[in-house]
C-alpha cells in the first residue's frame, strides 16, 4: 500500500440555497459534493422544501438531498427559530452517521441552526462564507450577530477571497488563524464566447451576476453613466435577476442610455457563453 489511506467521512452540507434554485452557492455545494463523493466520502445535502419538492431526492452519483418540510420565510431562507428544527436535524445526523457538518452562506438560517445543533452533538463543524456584507444596515447587524454565535466554536471557516476573509473575521470576531481562503474555481471552457460576434469598434463591459446589493450593484449603477459619458465607445451588457435590477433600469432611463446599456434579465448557465460577450 502506497502512502497513508485517507480517512473517509460522512459529510452533511447545509444551506437554504440549493437546487432547484439556481445560483453560485447552489452550484458550489453541488460541485463540491460531487468531488468529495469521487474521493470516497459520503455526502448528503440538507435544505428546505421548494414548493412541491420535499422529502428525499437522489442526484448524480448517489448524492442524497433532504428537502425538510420547512418553507422559506424571506429571500429563500427559513424563519430562524433554532429549536423547532432540532428534532429533524438531529434525527438525520444520527441516521446518516454524520461526522462533519458544513454550512454555506451567512444568510442561511438553516445552516447556522444545523451547525449549532451539530456542536451540541459533538460533531465537527465547518462554514463557508460566499459573500461580503456591511456593518451598518439593520440586515447586516442581525446577520453579523447570528454569525458570531454560529462561528464561536466552529472548527474551521473558509472564505472565497482574501477580501472576504478580512470581512468575515471582522464581522464574526474570529481568530484569523482559523479562517482559510479557497478561491472559487471557474471552468473557463464553459464560458468561452464566440469571437466572431465581437464588434471591433466598440468595447462591451459584461456583468453576469445576481443583481443584489452584496454583489456591488449599487456601485455599478453609479459608475455606468460616468463611464458612458467619458468613453463613447463603451457599452454595458448585464445579465442576471434580482431586486437591484430596477435601480439599473432607472439609471438607464434617467440618463437615456438605452442604446448603451442592455439588460438581459436572468440567463441560464448553459446560455452564458452564447451571450455576445464582445
Amino acid at each position: 500500500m502506497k502512502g497513508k489511506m485517507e480517512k473517509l467521512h460522512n459529510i452533511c452540507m447545509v444551506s437554504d440555497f440549493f437546487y432547484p434554485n439556481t445560483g453560485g452557492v447552489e452550484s458550489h455545494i453541488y460541485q463540491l459534493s460531487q468531488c468529495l463523493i469521487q474521493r470516497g466520502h459520503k455526502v448528503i445535502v440538507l435544505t428546505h422544501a421548494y414548493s412541491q419538492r420535499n422529502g428525499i431526492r437522489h442526484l448524480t452519483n448517489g448524492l442524497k438531498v433532504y428537502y425538510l418540510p420547512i418553507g422559506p420565510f424571506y429571500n429563500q431562507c427559513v424563519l430562524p427559530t433554532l429549536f423547532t428544527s432540532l428534532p429533524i436535524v438531529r434525527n438525520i445526523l444520527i441516521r446518516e452517521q454524520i461526522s462533519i457538518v458544513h454550512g454555506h452562506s451567512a444568510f442561511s438560517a438553516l445552516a447556522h441552526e444545523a451547525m449549532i445543533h451539530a456542536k451540541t452533538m459533538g460533531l465537527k463543524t465547518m462554514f463557508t462564507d460566499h459573500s461580503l456584507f456591511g456593518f451598518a444596515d439593520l440586515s447586516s447587524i442581525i446577520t453579523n450577530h447570528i454569525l458570531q454565535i454560529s462561528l464561536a466554536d466552529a472548527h474551521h471557516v473558509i472564505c472565497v477571497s482574501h477580501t472576504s476573509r478580512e470581512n468575515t473575521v471582522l464581522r464574526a470576531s474570529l481568530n484569523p488563524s482559523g479562517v482559510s481562503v479557497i478561491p472559487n474555481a471557474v471552468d473557463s471552457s464553459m464560458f468561452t464566447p464566440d469571437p466572431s460576434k465581437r464588434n471591433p469598434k466598440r468595447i462591451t463591459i459584461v456583468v453576469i451576476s445576481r443583481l443584489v446589493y452584496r454583489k456591488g450593484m449599487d456601485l455599478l449603477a453609479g459608475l455606468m453613466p460616468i463611464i458612458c459619458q467619458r468613453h463613447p465607445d463603451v457599452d454595458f451588457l448585464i445579465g442576471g435577476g434580482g431586486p437591484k435590477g430596477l435601480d439599473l433600469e432607472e439609471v438607464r432611463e434617467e440618463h437615456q442610455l438605452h442604446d448603451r446599456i442592455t439588460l438581459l434579465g436572468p440567463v441560464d448557465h448553459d446560455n452564458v457563453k452564447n451571450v455576445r460577450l464582445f
Side-chain angles (χ1 to χ4, degrees):
M1 183 180 295
K2 294 182 179 181
K4 187 178 180 181
M5 289 188 62
E6 179 181 4
K7 182 179 179 181
L8 300 181
H9 294 279
N10 294 341
I11 303 169
C12 177
M13 303 284 183
V14 191
S15 181
D16 282 299
F17 310 104
F18 196 66
Y19 299 132
N21 194 39
T22 57
V25 176
E26 293 86 347
S27 178
H28 175 91
I29 295 173
Y30 176 79
Q31 298 292 346
L32 176 60
S33 299
Q34 292 298 325
C35 290
L36 289 171
I37 290 174
Q38 291 178 4
R39 294 178 68 93
H41 301 284
K42 174 183 176 181
V43 183
I44 67 170
V45 177
L46 216 61
T47 188
H48 62 70
Y50 282 90
S51 186
Q52 300 300 318
R53 180 170 296 200
N54 54 61
I56 300 176
R57 302 293 179 96
H58 293 270
L59 303 183
T60 308
N61 293 329
L63 176 61
K64 183 186 289 187
V65 183
Y66 284 87
Y67 291 93
L68 304 184
I70 307 172
F73 171 70
Y74 173 73
N75 201 20
Q76 291 298 328
C77 294
V78 301
L79 178 67
T81 58
L82 187 61
F83 297 107
T84 57
S85 62
L86 173 59
I88 189 169
V89 171
R90 181 178 182 274
N91 181 279
I92 292 172
L93 296 181
I94 294 175
R95 178 195 304 172
E96 300 290 346
Q97 299 181 335
I98 298 300
S99 55
I100 298 176
V101 174
H102 190 169
H104 293 263
S105 182
F107 257 139
S108 175
L110 183 61
H112 295 306
E113 290 186 5
M115 291 175 61
I116 293 174
H117 299 329
K119 285 182 285 190
T120 65
M121 299 170 61
L123 303 179
K124 294 185 180 298
T125 58
M126 293 181 60
F127 179 76
T128 297
D129 202 354
H130 294 263
S131 300
L132 300 175
F133 291 89
F135 298 87
D137 60 286
L138 181 60
S139 174
S140 297
I141 292 173
I142 296 174
T143 301
N144 293 343
H145 279 299
I146 296 175
L147 198 65
Q148 290 178 6
I149 297 172
S150 175
L151 303 185
D153 56 350
H155 288 83
H156 205 73
V157 177
I158 300 172
C159 294
V160 297
S161 70
H162 291 282
T163 301
S164 175
R165 177 176 180 268
E166 294 178 2
N167 182 261
T168 301
V169 166
L170 291 174
R171 286 163 44 225
S173 301
L174 297 174
N175 185 338
S177 63
V179 184
S180 299
V181 175
I182 304 179
N184 287 331
V186 177
D187 185 358
S188 59
S189 64
M190 297 181 63
F191 303 99
T192 303
D194 184 359
S196 64
K197 295 183 178 181
R198 179 177 183 177
N199 185 345
K201 297 181 180 180
R202 302 197 65 80
I203 298 173
T204 302
I205 297 177
V206 181
V207 178
I208 302 290
S209 174
R210 189 174 295 168
L211 306 183
V212 294
Y213 168 78
R214 65 179 185 274
K215 298 295 185 180
M217 291 304 112
D218 292 76
L219 296 175
L220 179 63
L223 285 172
M224 285 193 302
I226 298 175
I227 293 176
C228 288
Q229 181 181 12
R230 294 182 180 179
H231 305 279
D233 60 335
V234 172
D235 298 326
F236 284 87
L237 187 62
I238 302 172
K244 290 298 179 179
L246 181 60
D247 293 351
L248 300 180
E249 291 182 7
E250 290 178 350
V251 169
R252 184 174 65 173
E253 291 283 347
E254 180 181 352
H255 296 274
Q256 297 296 308
L257 295 172
H258 296 82
D259 59 331
R260 307 280 301 279
I261 300 175
T262 302
L263 300 175
L264 300 175
V267 179
D268 293 336
H269 287 189
D270 295 339
N271 294 329
V272 169
K273 66 179 180 180
N274 297 324
V275 175
R276 181 175 56 83
L277 295 185
F278 292 102

